[in-house]
Amino acid sequence: MTSEALQKAREYEEQFGGNIRREDRPLFHLSPRVGWMNDPNGFSYYKGQYHLFYQYHPYSIQWGPMHWGHAVSPDLLHWEYLPAAIAPDTDYDDAGCFSGSAVELPDGRQLLMYTGVQRQLREDGARQDLQTQCLAIGDGLNYEKWTANPVLGDADLPAGFSRFDFRDPKMFQNEDGSYGCVVGCRTEDDSGAILLFESADGLDWHFVTVLDRCYNEFGRMWECPDFFPLDGRQILMCSPQDMSAVGMEFHNGDCTMFLLGCYDPKEHRFEREGVQAVDYGLDFYAPQTLLAPDGRRIMVAWMQNWDTCVGGQPRGASWFGQMTLPRELSIRDGRVIQVPIRELDALHGRKIAYTDIPVQEETVLRGVFGRTIDMTVKVRPLADCKYSQFRMKVAAGSQHYTSITYSPQTSILRISREHSGVDRDFVHMRECFVRDRGGEIKLRVILDRFSAEIFVNDGEQVMSMTFYTPQSADGISFQCLGKVLMSVEKYDIAMDGYNL
Ligand code: FRU
């Protein structure tokens, strides 16, 4: 049965979602049907298509009582909106249906697990909402909240773990058909940990172990965990809040990291062996993965960050927040590598290519422009000439540009949206170290109207950012202090007839 709150949200999005012009949204990145979007939820492959739910407040472009928005896609690029899946409409989730995940039940139904947030007041009158894990079961379109909700709460937590910060269940299916689930939780030292729960049938859950703990070393509360094998390693991925920068790493306050290790499923022991930042850009948080039918581990994230929402919202917009391009994960040389999903290649339209063009003064190449493109730029130094900086401008017009700058002496790649037309003073620049290759660098730049994602050296690092420069600013230029040879291969992204 559809509750009043869900019915209202569905009517609202039906009425107002259609008013957003197609060209005012990203072309192939998912944006909310209307209003506000944050974390990806329930990212899954179910009944022949990909499902991507999202934290959703349809009624404004601000965060508010959380619903789950819903979209499906055959290829993770062409999205179709479905009606909102769940709304805050019970006593145990009256303050919001927070992030969670999806799996398929043996009888073919889809199971969602989310964090129910229940309004509560402390004795001193301050709000301290309770967080529990809850289920909803459906057919890929309509979902019923489970009668035995919540299925995990205070009583399931080990001593010292907080029921007020206990959220973001990510389920997965074990080889024997049973289910596991990782959930973030605050610990008594005011930092975070990831808890593992198990269930034989997906409905009845029990606590198993603490997989890993923060001990205030990597931020505090760990949100949005995911736990998956990857090329012989085990990855525990999470989004730490309140993280201080460490050298050139972890500059976003709310950060994301891969904990690389090994896992003994019999003893339920995760051994952490390494830590790696997930994205080095300005806008990236709360990633979640799925296992595709062909065995690929695919990750998507909210292409935004909590601090960059403040001031980052374009005036007059009726949507805010978007997902990253889904990325394929693999391990190379002991590190997690991310590349754009290969489905993007099928959308390659007109191709423009240049080989070994000398670049010095600001250079514009005929045919190299656009705001919905997949462009690979390879730079190599000349034997007899060192260079000190290579700079690319994208989304460039007479007044605006966004820049990507590489300095080979320091091996630092910098992105900046300072001149993208933004008129608020929040963070606009981010830098990262890339592997020194004697001045060579390869950058795959994906532009989709309001964003740039830069995949460095075949996915060793990624830098993601959003910007709202008018679409007429579609210029691209290259410039070098010194001299380099540059090759460019650019494809327009063609989605003719696609009408979200
Ligand atoms: C992460 C997060 C989650 C929570 C959701 C609420 O961005 O804070 O921990 O479930 O957002 O919208």
Side-chain angles (χ1 to χ4, degrees):
M1 207 189 66
T2 309
S3 68
E4 211 174 294
L6 186 60
Q7 190 54 35
K8 185 171 154 229
R10 286 180 165 190
E11 279 166 16
Y12 187 89
E13 59 182 9
E14 185 69 37
Q15 187 178 356
F16 295 103
N19 292 350
I20 303 172
R21 292 188 313 162
R22 188 67 201 93
E23 57 271 31
D24 292 337
R25 292 181 178 280
L27 179 62
F28 50 100
H29 290 66
L30 183 68
S31 54
R33 190 164 177 188
V34 61
W36 163 278
M37 161 193 277
N38 58 288
D39 315 355
N41 294 158
F43 188 36
S44 54
Y45 188 81
Y46 175 68
K47 285 194 183 156
Q49 43 184 359
Y50 292 101
H51 287 249
L52 183 48
F53 304 82
Y54 51 91
Q55 288 285 279
Y56 184 35
H57 184 241
Y59 305 113
S60 77
I61 58 164
Q62 311 296 334
W63 189 89
M66 282 289 112
H67 298 56
W68 277 32
H70 191 187
V72 288
S73 171
D75 61 357
L76 296 161
L77 298 164
H78 293 82
W79 292 102
E80 180 196 336
Y81 290 118
L82 294 183
I86 52 175
D89 52 15
T90 69
D91 54 348
Y92 52 81
D93 63 17
D94 59 356
C97 301
F98 276 17
S99 284
S101 54
V103 291
E104 187 170 338
L105 288 169
D107 64 9
R109 289 178 301 166
Q110 194 178 34
L111 176 70
L112 311 181
M113 195 194 289
Y114 67 96
T115 300
V117 183
Q118 183 174 15
R119 223 170 223 285
Q120 258 192 12
L121 295 181
R122 284 198 315 231
E123 269 178 10
D124 64 4
R127 253 251 346 238
Q128 194 170 33
D129 294 345
L130 189 68
Q131 302 191 340
T132 58
Q133 314 320 317
C134 305
L135 302 176
I137 302 176
D139 58 0
L141 184 62
N142 293 304
Y143 299 83
E144 291 285 336
K145 290 185 181 164
W146 180 233
T147 44
N149 277 344
V151 293
L152 286 172
D154 197 11
D156 303 285
L157 288 173
F161 285 74
S162 170
R163 62 184 189 276
F164 305 114
D165 283 295
F166 174 38
R167 58 180 173 271
D168 310 334
K170 175 65 166 58
M171 296 182 285
F172 51 88
Q173 192 152 22
N174 296 314
E175 270 173 17
D176 65 1
S178 66
Y179 300 91
C181 178
V182 283
V183 189
C185 198
R186 193 179 294 273
T187 45
E188 54 203 346
D189 61 0
D190 197 27
S191 72
I194 304 301
L195 308 181
L196 176 69
F197 297 86
E198 259 187 4
S199 169
D201 58 5
L203 307 173
D204 190 19
W205 289 87
H206 62 271
F207 171 75
V208 180
T209 193
V210 179
L211 279 178
D212 202 354
R213 288 183 70 133
C214 172
Y215 293 115
N216 279 302
E217 192 188 355
F218 296 102
R220 288 171 182 267
M221 169 69 187
W222 283 356
E223 300 189 308
C224 301
D226 201 343
F227 192 53
F228 52 89
L230 188 68
D231 296 341
R233 304 292 296 276
Q234 185 72 21
I235 309 292
L236 181 57
M237 181 172 75
C238 64
S239 299
Q241 291 182 306
D242 308 318
M243 196 162 178
S244 309
V246 182
M248 298 279 289
E249 311 268 324
F250 305 120
H251 280 240
N252 291 355
D254 293 310
C255 294
T256 51
M257 61 183 184
F258 296 121
L259 303 174
L260 293 87
C262 53
Y263 183 56
D264 175 351
K266 284 207 183 71
E267 301 293 319
H268 300 294
R269 255 231 319 276
F270 174 70
E271 205 80 54
R272 190 203 306 168
E273 294 160 339
V275 177
Q276 183 185 333
V278 181
D279 191 282
Y280 287 84
L282 291 157
D283 298 305
F284 187 94
Y285 197 62
Q288 189 172 91
T289 71
L290 61 69
L291 185 62
D294 60 7
R296 284 178 297 163
R297 180 60 59 175
I298 298 177
M299 179 182 79
V300 71
W302 180 38
M303 191 155 46
Q304 199 52 249
N305 205 293
W306 286 106
D307 290 336
T308 55
C309 295
V310 183
Q313 299 191 324
R315 270 176 245 286
S318 17
W319 64 270
F320 183 70
Q322 54 183 303
M323 294 296 164
T324 62
L325 184 67
R327 304 172 183 176
E328 295 177 15
L329 303 185
S330 62
I331 300 274
R332 194 167 69 222
D333 300 334
R335 288 177 61 81
V336 182
I337 299 295
Q338 304 169 47
V339 294
I341 41 160
R342 61 195 66 164
E343 284 82 347
L344 188 62
D345 299 352
L347 302 190
H348 282 172
R350 197 165 70 108
K351 174 181 175 179
I352 299 281
Y354 291 87
T355 307
D356 285 344
I357 304 278
V359 176
Q360 205 165 8
E361 270 142 39
E362 187 155 18
T363 307
V364 173
L365 299 173
R366 186 198 294 233
V368 178
F369 64 91
R371 290 286 290 270
T372 51
I373 61 167
D374 178 358
M375 175 175 71
T376 299
V377 176
K378 288 188 213 165
V379 167
R380 64 187 174 94
L382 291 163
D384 56 344
C385 174
K386 285 213 174 339
Y387 73 101
S388 60
Q389 195 184 79
F390 170 80
R391 184 163 73 167
M392 190 187 323
K393 289 182 185 168
V394 299
S398 54
Q399 298 168 46
H400 306 306
Y401 63 87
T402 287
S403 64
I404 304 163
T405 309
Y406 180 56
S407 304
Q409 271 89 5
T410 52
S411 227
I412 287 178
L413 185 68
R414 168 194 293 186
I415 55 173
S416 170
R417 61 179 171 206
E418 198 84 51
H419 298 278
S420 67
V422 62
D423 59 4
R424 302 255 60 88
D425 184 22
F426 54 105
V427 186
H428 302 311
M429 193 274 285
R430 195 61 92 219
E431 294 184 327
C432 85
F433 273 128
V434 305
R435 194 149 60 91
D436 177 20
R437 298 175 160 202
E440 282 190 22
I441 189 161
K442 182 173 172 188
L443 303 171
R444 184 165 171 191
V445 180
I446 314 278
L447 301 184
D448 186 6
R449 293 193 178 133
F450 308 104
S451 67
E453 287 159 285
I454 299 135
F455 294 80
V456 187
N457 292 334
D458 298 306
E460 286 178 355
Q461 272 132 338
V462 193
M463 300 182 89
S464 307
M465 71 175 144
T466 57
F467 48 83
Y468 296 92
T469 316
Q471 296 301 308
S472 55
D474 63 355
I476 295 177
S477 69
F478 309 93
Q479 191 175 9
C480 183
L481 296 178
K483 199 171 177 183
V484 289
L485 291 180
M486 177 185 76
S487 299
V488 178
E489 189 174 298
K490 188 212 77 162
Y491 296 90
D492 291 329
I493 300 299
M495 296 178 85
D496 299 344
Y498 169 53
N499 204 356
L500 186 68

mmCIF file of all heavy atoms in Angstrom, residues 36 38-39 41 55-56 63-64 66 97-100 115 117 131 167-169 221-224 239 241 254 285-286 302 306, ligand 1:
data_model
loop_
_atom_site.group_PDB
_atom_site.id
_atom_site.type_symbol
_atom_site.label_atom_id
_atom_site.label_comp_id
_atom_site.label_asym_id
_atom_site.label_seq_id
_atom_site.Cartn_x
_atom_site.Cartn_y
_atom_site.Cartn_z
ATOM 1 N N TRP A 36 16.454 17.687 -4.431
ATOM 2 C CA TRP A 36 17.793 17.390 -3.889
ATOM 3 C C TRP A 36 18.149 15.912 -3.991
ATOM 4 O O TRP A 36 17.314 15.045 -3.725
ATOM 5 C CB TRP A 36 17.812 17.808 -2.427
ATOM 6 C CG TRP A 36 18.926 17.229 -1.614
ATOM 7 C CD1 TRP A 36 18.962 15.987 -1.036
ATOM 8 C CD2 TRP A 36 20.170 17.853 -1.284
ATOM 9 N NE1 TRP A 36 20.155 15.810 -0.365
ATOM 10 C CE2 TRP A 36 20.918 16.937 -0.499
ATOM 11 C CE3 TRP A 36 20.733 19.103 -1.570
ATOM 12 C CZ2 TRP A 36 22.184 17.232 -0.002
ATOM 13 C CZ3 TRP A 36 21.989 19.392 -1.058
ATOM 14 C CH2 TRP A 36 22.705 18.469 -0.290
ATOM 15 N N ASN A 38 21.398 13.202 -2.611
ATOM 16 C CA ASN A 38 22.762 12.892 -2.153
ATOM 17 C C ASN A 38 23.055 11.419 -2.398
ATOM 18 O O ASN A 38 22.874 10.966 -3.543
ATOM 19 C CB ASN A 38 23.100 13.428 -0.750
ATOM 20 C CG ASN A 38 22.247 13.000 0.405
ATOM 21 O OD1 ASN A 38 21.122 13.428 0.528
ATOM 22 N ND2 ASN A 38 22.759 12.163 1.275
ATOM 23 N N ASP A 39 23.538 10.675 -1.453
ATOM 24 C CA ASP A 39 24.162 9.363 -1.704
ATOM 25 C C ASP A 39 23.429 8.432 -2.677
ATOM 26 O O ASP A 39 22.206 8.333 -2.635
ATOM 27 C CB ASP A 39 24.252 8.545 -0.412
ATOM 28 C CG ASP A 39 24.736 9.319 0.775
ATOM 29 O OD1 ASP A 39 25.105 10.484 0.627
ATOM 30 O OD2 ASP A 39 24.728 8.740 1.864
ATOM 31 N N ASN A 41 22.057 4.848 -3.430
ATOM 32 C CA ASN A 41 21.514 3.780 -2.566
ATOM 33 C C ASN A 41 21.067 2.617 -3.439
ATOM 34 O O ASN A 41 20.679 2.821 -4.603
ATOM 35 C CB ASN A 41 20.281 4.274 -1.798
ATOM 36 C CG ASN A 41 20.568 5.373 -0.774
ATOM 37 O OD1 ASN A 41 19.678 6.118 -0.396
ATOM 38 N ND2 ASN A 41 21.795 5.496 -0.338
ATOM 39 N N GLN A 55 19.403 9.166 -2.165
ATOM 40 C CA GLN A 55 18.883 9.997 -1.085
ATOM 41 C C GLN A 55 18.226 11.216 -1.738
ATOM 42 O O GLN A 55 18.866 11.919 -2.537
ATOM 43 C CB GLN A 55 20.025 10.415 -0.156
ATOM 44 C CG GLN A 55 20.555 9.276 0.693
ATOM 45 C CD GLN A 55 19.620 8.937 1.830
ATOM 46 O OE1 GLN A 55 19.615 9.578 2.852
ATOM 47 N NE2 GLN A 55 18.776 7.920 1.654
ATOM 48 N N TYR A 56 17.000 11.479 -1.349
ATOM 49 C CA TYR A 56 16.153 12.339 -2.180
ATOM 50 C C TYR A 56 15.240 13.195 -1.325
ATOM 51 O O TYR A 56 14.541 12.679 -0.435
ATOM 52 C CB TYR A 56 15.334 11.376 -3.047
ATOM 53 C CG TYR A 56 14.408 11.936 -4.089
ATOM 54 C CD1 TYR A 56 14.704 13.085 -4.799
ATOM 55 C CD2 TYR A 56 13.230 11.252 -4.396
ATOM 56 C CE1 TYR A 56 13.839 13.540 -5.786
ATOM 57 C CE2 TYR A 56 12.365 11.687 -5.380
ATOM 58 C CZ TYR A 56 12.675 12.839 -6.072
ATOM 59 O OH TYR A 56 11.825 13.269 -7.055
ATOM 60 N N TRP A 63 18.793 19.596 1.469
ATOM 61 C CA TRP A 63 18.588 18.329 2.184
ATOM 62 C C TRP A 63 17.361 18.480 3.084
ATOM 63 O O TRP A 63 17.152 19.534 3.694
ATOM 64 C CB TRP A 63 19.843 18.027 3.017
ATOM 65 C CG TRP A 63 19.846 16.659 3.616
ATOM 66 C CD1 TRP A 63 20.325 15.526 3.042
ATOM 67 C CD2 TRP A 63 19.359 16.286 4.913
ATOM 68 N NE1 TRP A 63 20.161 14.467 3.895
ATOM 69 C CE2 TRP A 63 19.572 14.895 5.054
ATOM 70 C CE3 TRP A 63 18.763 16.964 5.959
ATOM 71 C CZ2 TRP A 63 19.212 14.188 6.204
ATOM 72 C CZ3 TRP A 63 18.402 16.268 7.102
ATOM 73 C CH2 TRP A 63 18.624 14.891 7.212
ATOM 74 N N GLY A 64 16.532 17.464 3.145
ATOM 75 C CA GLY A 64 15.344 17.481 4.001
ATOM 76 C C GLY A 64 15.002 16.050 4.352
ATOM 77 O O GLY A 64 15.795 15.149 4.080
ATOM 78 N N MET A 66 14.542 12.488 4.318
ATOM 79 C CA MET A 66 15.016 11.691 3.194
ATOM 80 C C MET A 66 14.014 10.652 2.699
ATOM 81 O O MET A 66 13.473 9.864 3.469
ATOM 82 C CB MET A 66 16.320 10.976 3.586
ATOM 83 C CG MET A 66 17.521 11.889 3.543
ATOM 84 S SD MET A 66 17.979 12.322 1.854
ATOM 85 C CE MET A 66 17.594 14.034 1.801
ATOM 86 N N CYS A 97 14.468 8.242 5.673
ATOM 87 C CA CYS A 97 14.943 6.929 5.232
ATOM 88 C C CYS A 97 16.346 7.166 4.693
ATOM 89 O O CYS A 97 16.519 7.607 3.560
ATOM 90 C CB CYS A 97 14.053 6.364 4.125
ATOM 91 S SG CYS A 97 12.341 6.180 4.638
ATOM 92 N N PHE A 98 17.340 6.914 5.527
ATOM 93 C CA PHE A 98 18.728 7.196 5.158
ATOM 94 C C PHE A 98 19.277 6.090 4.251
ATOM 95 O O PHE A 98 18.580 5.141 3.895
ATOM 96 C CB PHE A 98 19.575 7.362 6.418
ATOM 97 C CG PHE A 98 19.532 8.751 7.026
ATOM 98 C CD1 PHE A 98 18.534 9.657 6.702
ATOM 99 C CD2 PHE A 98 20.506 9.157 7.935
ATOM 100 C CE1 PHE A 98 18.498 10.934 7.256
ATOM 101 C CE2 PHE A 98 20.488 10.424 8.494
ATOM 102 C CZ PHE A 98 19.488 11.317 8.170
ATOM 103 N N SER A 99 20.572 6.192 3.956
ATOM 104 C CA SER A 99 21.186 5.355 2.923
ATOM 105 C C SER A 99 21.124 3.869 3.215
ATOM 106 O O SER A 99 21.068 3.443 4.360
ATOM 107 C CB SER A 99 22.647 5.773 2.737
ATOM 108 O OG SER A 99 22.673 6.967 2.022
ATOM 109 N N GLY A 100 21.201 3.090 2.146
ATOM 110 C CA GLY A 100 21.160 1.639 2.272
ATOM 111 C C GLY A 100 21.387 0.975 0.928
ATOM 112 O O GLY A 100 21.900 1.585 -0.011
ATOM 113 N N THR A 115 18.511 2.856 6.575
ATOM 114 C CA THR A 115 18.531 3.308 7.965
ATOM 115 C C THR A 115 17.277 4.124 8.240
ATOM 116 O O THR A 115 17.044 5.158 7.602
ATOM 117 C CB THR A 115 19.791 4.160 8.240
ATOM 118 O OG1 THR A 115 20.928 3.344 7.986
ATOM 119 C CG2 THR A 115 19.815 4.655 9.677
ATOM 120 N N VAL A 117 15.425 6.631 10.533
ATOM 121 C CA VAL A 117 15.816 7.635 11.528
ATOM 122 C C VAL A 117 14.557 8.087 12.262
ATOM 123 O O VAL A 117 13.595 8.551 11.640
ATOM 124 C CB VAL A 117 16.536 8.830 10.864
ATOM 125 C CG1 VAL A 117 16.992 9.820 11.917
ATOM 126 C CG2 VAL A 117 17.730 8.336 10.047
ATOM 127 N N GLN A 131 18.820 5.695 15.248
ATOM 128 C CA GLN A 131 19.022 5.101 13.919
ATOM 129 C C GLN A 131 18.964 3.577 14.020
ATOM 130 O O GLN A 131 19.663 2.984 14.846
ATOM 131 C CB GLN A 131 20.370 5.551 13.336
ATOM 132 C CG GLN A 131 20.453 7.081 13.238
ATOM 133 C CD GLN A 131 21.630 7.606 12.434
ATOM 134 O OE1 GLN A 131 22.611 6.916 12.219
ATOM 135 N NE2 GLN A 131 21.514 8.851 11.984
ATOM 136 N N ARG A 167 24.457 3.528 10.849
ATOM 137 C CA ARG A 167 23.733 3.739 9.594
ATOM 138 C C ARG A 167 24.435 3.194 8.351
ATOM 139 O O ARG A 167 25.593 2.846 8.371
ATOM 140 C CB ARG A 167 23.453 5.229 9.391
ATOM 141 C CG ARG A 167 24.661 6.126 9.360
ATOM 142 C CD ARG A 167 24.213 7.587 9.152
ATOM 143 N NE ARG A 167 25.318 8.514 9.271
ATOM 144 C CZ ARG A 167 25.707 9.063 10.414
ATOM 145 N NH1 ARG A 167 25.068 8.801 11.534
ATOM 146 N NH2 ARG A 167 26.738 9.891 10.436
ATOM 147 N N ASP A 168 23.657 3.227 7.268
ATOM 148 C CA ASP A 168 24.099 2.952 5.891
ATOM 149 C C ASP A 168 24.437 1.477 5.648
ATOM 150 O O ASP A 168 25.567 1.139 5.266
ATOM 151 C CB ASP A 168 25.301 3.852 5.520
ATOM 152 C CG ASP A 168 25.049 5.317 5.834
ATOM 153 O OD1 ASP A 168 23.869 5.710 5.851
ATOM 154 O OD2 ASP A 168 26.017 6.066 6.078
ATOM 155 N N PRO A 169 23.466 0.582 5.854
ATOM 156 C CA PRO A 169 23.706 -0.851 5.659
ATOM 157 C C PRO A 169 23.970 -1.179 4.196
ATOM 158 O O PRO A 169 23.225 -0.763 3.316
ATOM 159 C CB PRO A 169 22.395 -1.495 6.125
ATOM 160 C CG PRO A 169 21.357 -0.435 5.900
ATOM 161 C CD PRO A 169 22.048 0.870 6.179
ATOM 162 N N MET A 221 33.460 9.387 12.538
ATOM 163 C CA MET A 221 32.425 8.427 12.137
ATOM 164 C C MET A 221 32.675 7.959 10.697
ATOM 165 O O MET A 221 32.943 8.773 9.813
ATOM 166 C CB MET A 221 31.066 9.144 12.243
ATOM 167 C CG MET A 221 29.903 8.420 11.633
ATOM 168 S SD MET A 221 29.458 6.930 12.552
ATOM 169 C CE MET A 221 28.228 6.252 11.450
ATOM 170 N N TRP A 222 32.615 6.658 10.482
ATOM 171 C CA TRP A 222 32.749 6.103 9.134
ATOM 172 C C TRP A 222 31.358 5.830 8.568
ATOM 173 O O TRP A 222 30.628 4.972 9.089
ATOM 174 C CB TRP A 222 33.553 4.803 9.168
ATOM 175 C CG TRP A 222 35.029 5.004 9.323
ATOM 176 C CD1 TRP A 222 35.705 6.199 9.365
ATOM 177 C CD2 TRP A 222 36.023 3.978 9.449
ATOM 178 N NE1 TRP A 222 37.058 5.977 9.499
ATOM 179 C CE2 TRP A 222 37.277 4.615 9.555
ATOM 180 C CE3 TRP A 222 35.971 2.584 9.478
ATOM 181 C CZ2 TRP A 222 38.471 3.915 9.695
ATOM 182 C CZ3 TRP A 222 37.161 1.876 9.608
ATOM 183 C CH2 TRP A 222 38.394 2.544 9.713
ATOM 184 N N GLU A 223 31.004 6.533 7.494
ATOM 185 C CA GLU A 223 29.688 6.377 6.878
ATOM 186 C C GLU A 223 29.793 5.486 5.640
ATOM 187 O O GLU A 223 30.873 5.263 5.091
ATOM 188 C CB GLU A 223 29.138 7.746 6.444
ATOM 189 C CG GLU A 223 28.968 8.745 7.586
ATOM 190 C CD GLU A 223 28.224 10.002 7.143
ATOM 191 O OE1 GLU A 223 28.611 10.618 6.134
ATOM 192 O OE2 GLU A 223 27.257 10.375 7.822
ATOM 193 N N CYS A 224 28.640 5.065 5.165
ATOM 194 C CA CYS A 224 28.480 4.418 3.862
ATOM 195 C C CYS A 224 29.536 3.352 3.543
ATOM 196 O O CYS A 224 30.276 3.490 2.552
ATOM 197 C CB CYS A 224 28.478 5.484 2.758
ATOM 198 S SG CYS A 224 27.168 6.673 2.970
ATOM 199 N N SER A 239 33.301 6.142 3.955
ATOM 200 C CA SER A 239 33.362 7.603 3.843
ATOM 201 C C SER A 239 33.510 8.195 5.241
ATOM 202 O O SER A 239 32.516 8.362 5.950
ATOM 203 C CB SER A 239 32.079 8.120 3.174
ATOM 204 O OG SER A 239 31.942 7.594 1.874
ATOM 205 N N GLN A 241 33.864 10.892 8.133
ATOM 206 C CA GLN A 241 33.528 12.304 8.361
ATOM 207 C C GLN A 241 34.668 12.964 9.141
ATOM 208 O O GLN A 241 35.435 12.289 9.819
ATOM 209 C CB GLN A 241 32.274 12.404 9.226
ATOM 210 C CG GLN A 241 31.008 11.959 8.557
ATOM 211 C CD GLN A 241 29.811 12.141 9.487
ATOM 212 O OE1 GLN A 241 29.806 11.655 10.596
ATOM 213 N NE2 GLN A 241 28.790 12.832 9.007
ATOM 214 N N ASP A 254 34.910 15.669 4.564
ATOM 215 C CA ASP A 254 34.221 14.376 4.424
ATOM 216 C C ASP A 254 34.916 13.658 3.279
ATOM 217 O O ASP A 254 34.835 14.091 2.137
ATOM 218 C CB ASP A 254 32.741 14.581 4.095
ATOM 219 C CG ASP A 254 32.005 15.208 5.263
ATOM 220 O OD1 ASP A 254 32.134 14.699 6.387
ATOM 221 O OD2 ASP A 254 31.313 16.222 5.050
ATOM 222 N N TYR A 285 31.596 11.749 -2.823
ATOM 223 C CA TYR A 285 31.321 11.220 -1.480
ATOM 224 C C TYR A 285 30.394 10.014 -1.580
ATOM 225 O O TYR A 285 29.678 9.835 -2.565
ATOM 226 C CB TYR A 285 30.676 12.311 -0.598
ATOM 227 C CG TYR A 285 30.736 11.971 0.877
ATOM 228 C CD1 TYR A 285 31.957 11.829 1.532
ATOM 229 C CD2 TYR A 285 29.573 11.784 1.621
ATOM 230 C CE1 TYR A 285 32.013 11.504 2.883
ATOM 231 C CE2 TYR A 285 29.618 11.471 2.970
ATOM 232 C CZ TYR A 285 30.852 11.328 3.594
ATOM 233 O OH TYR A 285 30.911 10.999 4.927
ATOM 234 N N ALA A 286 30.437 9.201 -0.536
ATOM 235 C CA ALA A 286 29.484 8.102 -0.324
ATOM 236 C C ALA A 286 29.402 7.098 -1.474
ATOM 237 O O ALA A 286 28.314 6.707 -1.885
ATOM 238 C CB ALA A 286 28.088 8.687 -0.038
ATOM 239 N N TRP A 302 28.151 9.942 -5.090
ATOM 240 C CA TRP A 302 27.518 11.262 -5.156
ATOM 241 C C TRP A 302 28.611 12.241 -5.601
ATOM 242 O O TRP A 302 29.662 12.328 -4.949
ATOM 243 C CB TRP A 302 27.015 11.610 -3.757
ATOM 244 C CG TRP A 302 26.323 12.923 -3.611
ATOM 245 C CD1 TRP A 302 25.474 13.528 -4.482
ATOM 246 C CD2 TRP A 302 26.397 13.782 -2.448
ATOM 247 N NE1 TRP A 302 25.014 14.714 -3.950
ATOM 248 C CE2 TRP A 302 25.561 14.886 -2.713
ATOM 249 C CE3 TRP A 302 27.070 13.714 -1.231
ATOM 250 C CZ2 TRP A 302 25.402 15.917 -1.793
ATOM 251 C CZ3 TRP A 302 26.910 14.746 -0.319
ATOM 252 C CH2 TRP A 302 26.081 15.839 -0.594
ATOM 253 N N TRP A 306 29.677 17.445 1.125
ATOM 254 C CA TRP A 306 28.797 18.221 2.013
ATOM 255 C C TRP A 306 29.221 19.681 2.090
ATOM 256 O O TRP A 306 28.383 20.579 2.006
ATOM 257 C CB TRP A 306 28.738 17.589 3.404
ATOM 258 C CG TRP A 306 27.916 16.339 3.361
ATOM 259 C CD1 TRP A 306 28.369 15.055 3.422
ATOM 260 C CD2 TRP A 306 26.496 16.251 3.181
ATOM 261 N NE1 TRP A 306 27.320 14.174 3.293
ATOM 262 C CE2 TRP A 306 26.157 14.876 3.157
ATOM 263 C CE3 TRP A 306 25.476 17.184 3.042
ATOM 264 C CZ2 TRP A 306 24.851 14.422 2.991
ATOM 265 C CZ3 TRP A 306 24.173 16.735 2.880
ATOM 266 C CH2 TRP A 306 23.879 15.375 2.861
HETATM 267 C C1 FRU B 1 26.256 10.384 3.862
HETATM 268 C C2 FRU B 1 25.057 10.438 4.769
HETATM 269 C C3 FRU B 1 24.724 9.052 5.260
HETATM 270 C C4 FRU B 1 23.266 9.156 5.550
HETATM 271 C C5 FRU B 1 22.784 10.083 4.470
HETATM 272 C C6 FRU B 1 21.661 10.979 4.896
HETATM 273 O O1 FRU B 1 26.315 11.387 2.923
HETATM 274 O O2 FRU B 1 25.304 11.321 5.844
HETATM 275 O O3 FRU B 1 25.485 8.621 6.360
HETATM 276 O O4 FRU B 1 22.640 7.914 5.484
HETATM 277 O O5 FRU B 1 23.888 10.876 4.098
HETATM 278 O O6 FRU B 1 21.114 11.647 3.801
#
